Amino acid sequence: MPFPAAPAWLGIILSAVSVAAPSLSPLPVVTQPRIYVLDCGTLIYNRPEDYGLTREEVATTNMAVTCYLVVHPKGILLFDTGLSDRLVGRPVWENVLEGYGQVKFNTLRGQLADIGVTPDKITYLALSHSDWDHVDNANDYAGSTWLTQKPEREVMFGPQTTAADRLYYQALEHAKTVIFEGDHDVFGDGSVVLKFTPGHTKGHQSLYVKLAKTGGVVLSGDLYHYPEERTLHRMPKEEEAAGTAASRASMEEFLRKTHSELWIGHSIAFFKDALKSPAWYE
Ligand SMILES: [Zn+2]
């Protein structure tokens, strides 16, 4: 049966609806740096022994996966891209990698859109390192300028990695890139600095951000995983001779000198209590 002709008022309502279609909430202009803490998934894991700890010594064996957006008056930096957005809605048993079950409830892209940030608005992308739980959505942000330690980039695109390893970050190979080895002052005013902390990987880096109200914070990357590694002075066996001990010692000195807090992104305790996006730290 043909539809009756639409009454004239329907057109008025439809056009009103299209005008009122939801738009991204615009990100306000900032006068000082902010950090947004983003939920980039959870790792279901039960072998704290791999990190030099017993099950009795850790509050939980699982790990949060945290990404961060730093908004500075001169630009926007995304630090780590976490577990793949494609995991959302999938059961954990489908996605077990190296003994870690991957769970995700929110896409990174969606959380950024909620605060008015589309990938084209992100000036810089930096990865703490290239392990899969930190880089899975990196291709989505390859239009930004990639800030990378030289040794990490060499591993990412060297013979040590396979095409499968590169799948989620391969677009970075031809991204606009700033390559360095050592600390890197992102906006040139000392408020956002990538700190070279090799050991977990050859080009591992943490991120220092000086916030006006919160004070200095360092986003650890995988300098630590479980918070008990820091309190009980433990580390994975294979990292003992790889530089982690020296990087941790110099980081502790830096934290003392700058009166900064260390935020351990894999810590469930940290993530549970953190102010999460769309709220922010400043
Ligand atoms: Zn990790």
Side-chain angles (χ1 to χ4, degrees), residues 43 51 63-65 128-129 131 133-134 200 221-222 224-225 266:
L43 295 170
Y51 297 86
M63 295 181 187
V65 181
S128 60
H129 64 299
D131 283 350
D133 54 316
H134 297 260
H200 181 70
D222 281 8
Y224 295 93
H225 301 78
H266 276 315

Side-chain angles (χ1 to χ4, degrees), residues 116-174:
V117 176
T118 44
D120 59 299
K121 291 188 185 162
I122 297 175
T123 326
Y124 299 115
L125 168 69
L127 304 167
S128 60
H129 64 299
S130 55
D131 283 350
W132 51 268
D133 54 316
H134 297 260
V135 301
D136 272 1
N137 303 295
N139 286 338
D140 294 349
Y141 305 95
S144 308
T145 297
W146 179 33
L147 307 178
T148 182
Q149 299 286 342
K150 185 166 179 274
E152 198 70 14
R153 191 184 185 283
E154 282 170 358
V155 170
M156 289 168 76
F157 295 105
Q160 304 93 322
T161 58
T162 64
D165 294 330
R166 296 176 194 177
L167 194 62
Y168 293 107
Y169 65 71
Q170 63 193 5
L172 296 180
E173 188 167 15
H174 303 294

